[in-house]
């Protein structure tokens, strides 16, 4: 779509930089289904180290990462406790029902964060009528809540409860590095509470493809098998892993720029007529823009913005989501603000 000048739809739209492409071109490769791709193996070691886990596995997508984890942790007929707006429940095309034959037990969170008492009440007792609780999933940062950060104390509480009940805990950490950069809390401190973690490279980290799933040696041994079953066994994939290694070295610290740009956008939009922004929600690289305008709703405003070259998706009838990323500059943010201002000046 070449009429888009400022693409705020998602941080998945980033294109590999020149430096990243150079790294991809130089990558040593081998057959990764045989475990012989040195670049993939190095990426898996680097991510294990970063997340403080025994082992890791490179997979094609964040969805596959999460779904392999669900497959390993659960048995058919079990229930997975998760937040009602989470990615696993809403945006993975019903994969957990399709692939693992589990049902989701969703809870309403506060800015995407589960309440410990709700989790306690949701865990099923031993009873012939009830589906056993097989897994608890947490999403950090939380996408649909607006890129919000999960407080560490809350994770610690849930982890303690899960351990008492013998229930595994999975982290959908597609944007974990945004939480790390925003808080200064190292990745290992978050991930220490989880049995498995998925981390995306094709979001703010700017690689073209891929996610890394991490956990114990035994967990990753099983994950390798399910990756093959799900059709995700890849061959000379070091070419792509090289992009992820480049992202680890070059694109983590700079996530702070995306957070700054999101703040700048929110600060400038929040006082415009007909727009409302909950600044408590603006914690990382997203801005949820509530549209309460006499001439526009979220869908028609999003269409009008697109006419002016600014792309941002309406996530529901009231909200537009704008996402900042490494292909968006401060000047583009300021220019987007002017376009918003022009469109909505008379509320
Ligand atoms: C993007 C995303 C994923 C994975 O999505 P894919 O498109 O399959 O890579 C998983 N969880 C969250 C929270 C995401 O935002």
């Amino acid at each position: 779509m070449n009429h888009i000048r400022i693409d705020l739809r998602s941080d998945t739209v980033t294109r590999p930089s020149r430096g990243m492409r150079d790294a991809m071109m130089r990558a040593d490769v081998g057959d990764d289904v045989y475990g012989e791709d040195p670049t993939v193996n190095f990426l898996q070691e680097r991510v294990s180290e970063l997340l403080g886990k025994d082992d890791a596995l490179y997979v094609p997508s964040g969805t596959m990462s999460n779904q392999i984890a669900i497959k390993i942790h659960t048995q058919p007929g079990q229930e997975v406790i998760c937040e009602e707006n989470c990615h696993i429940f809403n945006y993975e095309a019903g994969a957990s029902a399709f692939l693992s034959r589990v049902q989701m037990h969703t809870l309403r969170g506060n800015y995407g964060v589960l309440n410990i008492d709700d989790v306690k009440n949701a865990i099923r007792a031993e009873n012939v009528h009830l589906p056993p609780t097989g897994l608890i999933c947490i999403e950090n940062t939380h996408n649909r809540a607006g890129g919000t950060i999960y407080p560490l104390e809350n994770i610690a509480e849930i982890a303690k409860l899960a351990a008492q009940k013998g229930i595994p805990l999975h982290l959908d950490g597609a944007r974990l590095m945004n939480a790390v950069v925003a808080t200064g809390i190292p990745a290992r401190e978050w991930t220490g509470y989880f049995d498995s973690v998925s981390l995306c490279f094709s979001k703010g980290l700017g690689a073209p493809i891929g996610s890394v799933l991490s956990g114990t040696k035994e967990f990753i041994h099983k994950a390798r098998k399910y990756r093959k079953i799900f059709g995700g066994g890849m061959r000379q994939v070091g070419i792509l892993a090289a992009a992820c290694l480049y992202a680890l070295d070059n694109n983590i610290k700079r996530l702070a720029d995306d957070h700054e740009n999101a703040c700048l956008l929110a600060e400038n939009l929040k006082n415009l007529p007909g727009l409302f922004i909950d600044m408590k929600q603006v914690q990382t690289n997203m801005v949820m823009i509530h549209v309460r305008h006499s001439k526009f709703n979220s869908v028609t405003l999003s269409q009008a913005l697109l006419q002016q070259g600014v792309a941002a998706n309406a996530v529901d009838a009231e909200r537009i989501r704008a996402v900042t990323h490494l292909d968006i500059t401060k000047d583009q943010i300021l220019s987007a603000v002017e376009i918003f201002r022009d469109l909505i000046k008379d509320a």
Side-chain angles (χ1 to χ4, degrees):
M1 293 224 269
N2 52 20
H3 60 287
I4 296 177
R5 287 181 298 112
I6 304 172
D7 197 343
L8 302 170
R9 284 173 301 171
S10 174
D11 45 12
T12 58
V13 301
T14 55
R15 275 166 260 218
S17 63
R18 172 49 64 92
M20 186 177 274
R21 287 170 195 241
D22 286 346
M24 295 170 78
M25 196 156 92
R26 288 193 307 269
D28 275 338
V29 296
D31 190 326
D32 182 49
V33 170
Y34 290 109
E36 289 173 3
D37 189 301
T39 309
V40 171
N41 290 340
F42 186 48
L43 173 67
Q44 291 168 172
E45 280 166 33
R46 286 278 307 271
V47 174
S48 306
E49 173 69 24
L50 175 72
L51 302 184
K53 296 289 174 204
D54 294 342
D55 207 353
L57 186 70
Y58 186 51
V59 302
S61 71
T63 297
M64 192 182 288
S65 240
N66 286 333
Q67 293 303 325
I68 289 173
I70 291 169
K71 185 74 195 168
I72 294 170
H73 289 308
T74 63
Q75 294 300 317
Q78 287 188 333
E79 208 167 56
V80 175
I81 295 175
C82 61
E83 203 279 329
E84 68 179 7
N85 285 303
C86 75
H87 195 278
I88 286 173
F89 177 56
N90 291 284
Y91 298 130
E92 301 189 1
S96 2
F98 193 92
L99 299 168
S100 296
R101 290 178 280 144
V102 290
Q103 66 186 16
M104 296 285 129
H105 187 145
T106 60
L107 302 173
R108 176 160 303 178
N110 183 25
Y111 294 92
V113 175
L114 295 172
N115 175 291
I116 183 73
D117 292 322
D118 293 346
V119 178
K120 229 174 252 170
N121 290 332
I123 294 173
R124 304 288 192 168
E126 187 74 32
N127 178 311
V128 71
H129 298 91
L130 303 175
T133 305
L135 177 67
I136 302 171
C137 294
I138 282 175
E139 185 171 312
N140 188 25
T141 63
H142 195 295
N143 181 348
R144 222 171 127 84
T148 51
I149 299 164
Y150 225 99
L152 206 54
E153 314 82 72
N154 178 288
I155 292 177
E157 279 184 326
I158 293 177
K160 193 169 159 212
L161 175 66
Q164 277 166 4
K165 301 278 183 184
I167 301 167
L169 193 58
H170 172 71
L171 174 62
D172 179 351
R175 293 187 182 80
L176 177 66
M177 297 321 291
N178 290 85
V180 168
V181 169
T183 59
I185 299 170
R188 284 162 165 261
E189 266 189 60
W190 304 90
T191 54
Y193 293 105
F194 295 89
D195 298 285
S196 55
V197 178
S198 62
L199 176 70
C200 279
F201 283 85
S202 62
K203 305 278 169 78
L205 296 182
I209 292 179
S211 167
V212 174
L213 178 63
S214 65
T216 62
K217 281 255 176 277
E218 190 197 348
F219 175 86
I220 294 301
H221 180 73
K222 290 181 189 161
R224 201 170 273 285
K225 179 79 174 186
Y226 283 116
R227 183 183 65 175
K228 194 78 179 97
I229 291 172
F230 291 173
M234 302 178 287
R235 304 295 178 174
Q236 287 72 25
V237 73
I239 278 182
L240 294 171
C244 301
L245 284 164
Y246 180 90
L248 287 178
D249 290 332
N250 298 282
N251 291 349
I252 293 179
K253 276 207 199 97
R254 65 147 309 286
L255 290 171
D257 302 343
D258 301 342
H259 301 171
E260 236 172 73
N261 280 335
C263 237
L264 180 69
L265 180 66
E267 286 292 346
N268 276 282
L269 294 182
K270 74 175 189 203
N271 294 322
L272 295 186
L275 298 188
F276 169 80
I277 289 166
D278 176 359
M279 291 303 290
K280 259 173 63 187
Q281 223 176 4
V282 186
Q283 301 178 10
T284 57
N285 69 327
M286 296 185 191
V287 183
M288 287 292 188
I289 306 156
H290 297 246
V291 184
R292 294 174 198 152
H293 192 272
S294 55
K295 282 205 306 221
F296 293 107
N297 62 31
S298 63
V299 176
T300 55
L301 182 56
S302 157
Q303 286 162 350
L305 286 163
L306 190 56
Q307 294 281 315
Q308 305 297 318
V310 177
N313 290 335
V315 290
D316 54 40
E318 206 190 81
R319 299 180 303 164
I320 290 177
R321 186 187 74 161
V323 186
T324 57
H325 51 77
L326 86 178
D327 290 345
I328 293 290
T329 63
K330 184 175 169 187
D331 283 347
Q332 286 178 303
I333 293 292
L334 295 174
S335 151
V337 169
E338 285 320 305
I339 291 165
F340 265 97
R341 199 192 301 276
D342 252 23
L343 282 170
I344 62 172
K345 53 183 176 281
D346 24 43

